[in-house]
């Protein structure tokens, strides 16, 4: 069973959770509805990447309905130039400093017309 949707999130919109405001960034590819959330928390640039990018540039690419390699590459590239410090993915390790390096590793692999390392 699915949950009732309270509010449909759009790419670029801002949502407030408690005292923090986060920007919604569509990052499909792992699945059609994947998003990442970016914001400034305690003066640090923070990203929650869910399943879009994991530590060390890993991704989760699966041969299932809704997964799309082209969408994956385009979604991850939307995270370029955010200069994130705190990197909080949905799986594996996280990083409290220099977090952009994990995103950049995945982008570099896509830019070489290859694939980042996949967790699966």
């Amino acid at each position: 069973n699915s949950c009732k949707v309270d509010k449909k999130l759009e790419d670029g919109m801002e949502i407030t959770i408690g005292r923090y405001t986060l920007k919604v960034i569509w990052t499909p590819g792992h699945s059609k509805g994947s998003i990442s959330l970016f914001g400034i928390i305690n003066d640090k640039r923070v990203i929650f990447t869910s399943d879009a990018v994991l530590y060390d540039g890993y991704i989760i690419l699966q041969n299932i309905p809704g997964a799309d390699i082209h969408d994956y590459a385009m979604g991850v590239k939307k995270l370029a130039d955010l200069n994130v410090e705190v990197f909080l993915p949905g799986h594996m390790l996280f990083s409290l400093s220099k977090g952009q390096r994990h995103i950049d590793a995945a982008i570099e692999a896509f830019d070489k017309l290859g694939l980042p390392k996949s967790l699966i």
Side-chain angles (χ1 to χ4, degrees):
N1 292 335
S2 60
C3 299
K4 180 183 172 204
V5 174
D6 291 327
K7 184 175 188 175
K8 184 177 178 183
L9 301 178
E10 302 288 339
D11 188 38
M13 79 184 300
E14 293 186 341
I15 59 171
T16 300
I17 301 171
R19 61 184 177 149
Y20 302 109
T21 299
L22 302 171
K23 180 181 177 183
V24 175
I25 304 171
W26 281 110
T27 50
H30 170 73
S31 63
K32 287 184 181 183
S34 293
I35 64 168
S36 295
L37 298 170
F38 171 77
I40 307 295
I41 298 176
N42 297 332
D43 297 323
K44 293 193 181 234
R45 299 174 72 79
V46 177
I47 192 153
F48 298 87
T49 60
S50 58
D51 293 337
V53 182
L54 308 178
Y55 192 90
D56 201 27
Y58 275 77
I59 64 170
I60 303 175
L61 182 61
Q62 298 169 285
N63 186 19
I64 58 173
D68 183 284
I69 191 63
H70 180 266
D71 287 349
Y72 216 137
M74 295 301 101
V76 169
K77 287 179 182 183
K78 289 171 69 176
L79 305 179
D81 302 323
L82 291 177
N83 196 26
V84 251
E85 296 171 79
V86 179
F87 175 81
L88 302 169
H91 303 277
M92 296 177 55
L93 301 172
F94 56 89
S95 183
L96 299 178
S97 65
K98 301 178 185 174
Q100 187 69 38
R101 71 184 187 268
H102 307 290
I103 296 165
D104 292 345
I107 291 170
E108 183 179 342
F110 280 126
D111 282 347
K112 290 180 180 176
L113 303 179
L115 294 173
K117 299 167 278 192
S118 183
L119 184 61
I120 296 177

